Amino acid sequence: MHIVVDAAALAEAAPSVARVVPNRPTTPILAGMLIESGAGAVTLSGFDYESSVRVSVPAEVLRPGSVLVPGRLLAEIAGAFPAGTVAITAEGSEAELTGEGTSFVLQTLPVADYPALPEAPAVSGSVELADFDRAVHQAVIAAGRDELLPIFTGVLIDIDGAELTLMATDRYRMAVRTLAWEPADPQAKAQLLVPARGLGTVTRGLLAGSRVDLGFDPDPTGVPTVSFGGRSRSGEVWQTSRLIDGAYPDFGPLLQVSPDTTVRVATAELREAVRRAALVLERNTPLRLLVDDQHCSLTAASATAGRSSVTLPTVNEFLSEDRIGLAGFNPGYLLDALSVVDTPYVELAITERQRQCLVTGIADLEGNPETGYRHLIKTLRLGN
């Protein structure tokens, strides 16, 4: 194989692929990154049996072929070349990368031993990159990380015609984001449980103002697979993810919160107040939210560090005769929710009976909550 590729394109493409190359692969061959040349392009691919990434960039192909090189090492050295072009040649057990005054020789891995990459399903529709990027980040923040409960480590993408809904939960909080997309079939319906870890990287490096293509038919091997495609500065990017097997619970009814108290406050001010008040908290100690007529106070205490209190002006409404005005929060969960609300104000709808708080954004203090994004948090029991 002998190809010539733009150095900047290689420096962008190789790290994008390396994100699916495992640090400690169960099979040594998965440490490789596959380089394949075609008509006027070179494709870099990585695979870990669960996810794959392919990036195709323009190239001058002097001698077609393929080579498998250590993936993470290639990602590191790809950025070491000066502006210009990089020539990649492969002969026998070595691959040489040569640029302006710089060269590297890498030991190759046997291409024949590399597993077959999953084929990307046919495109089923597309969505604006900015909208999808926002939705993904708002959803994945609530996904679980316990691999013993794999269902909760995923994000459910529910497709219903021209509407996409992303839902994630770790059983203590839940994030739901709804957005519009353009399906190839206006009657399309599907539920795709996508690993949150892979979904969170889909939009990385894609061109601002572009679109993300989504495909969700099974690949020819019959393995349930979802694909995401787009454009980066260097070329075409495709990522596939094997879907998580299992039925996702219906958590929709939990979003029907009948609050005892609502609190409306400036989002940035509440976020900063939570951060400051929580500085003295020990692990697994709740942050207390106390609500009165025109303020809310965040208080925290620990046996070793001390106490804190931060008070903010708020617009509050008491909807029960008991005037419920006290709730306990995991401060990390509350900060996570506030970090992905991008409206100037936020509403906390708190129910004592269900021990829940529904977080929604609002454009102004007198407006209605925006239902496109809802974040539900379980509140904590408080001692005396």
Side-chain angles (χ1 to χ4, degrees), residues 6 17 43 57 62 161 174 199 202 206 227 252 265 351-352 383:
D6 180 72
V17 175
T43 300
V57 300
L62 302 175
M174 178 170 60
L199 185 62
V202 163
L206 298 186
S227 65
V265 60
T351 169
E352 175 68 17

Side-chain angles (χ1 to χ4, degrees), residues 124-135:
S124 304
S126 67
V127 59
E128 290 285 349
L129 171 63
D131 293 341
F132 191 67
D133 181 65
R134 178 188 180 204

Side-chain angles (χ1 to χ4, degrees), residues 7-23 31-35 44-46 55 69-81 88 97 104 106:
L10 181 65
E12 181 181 34
S16 295
V17 175
R19 65 178 182 245
V20 297
V21 176
N23 272 318
M33 186 182 300
L34 184 62
I35 304 175
L44 280 63
S45 305
V55 180
V69 298
R72 291 189 172 269
L73 178 57
L74 177 62
E76 289 183 13
I77 68 174
F81 289 96
I88 303 176
L97 288 79
F104 294 91
L106 304 181

Side-chain angles (χ1 to χ4, degrees), residues 186-240:
Q187 306 301 319
K189 289 187 179 294
Q191 288 195 331
L192 315 169
L193 189 51
V194 184
R197 183 172 54 187
L199 185 62
T201 66
V202 163
T203 59
R204 190 180 301 170
L206 298 186
L207 280 176
S210 64
R211 299 182 69 86
V212 178
D213 293 326
L214 172 63
F216 53 82
D217 289 330
D219 76 357
T221 67
V223 177
T225 304
V226 64
S227 65
F228 304 93
R231 286 199 58 81
S232 68
R233 289 177 301 174
S234 57
E236 300 284 342
V237 181
W238 282 97
Q239 177 172 327
T240 68

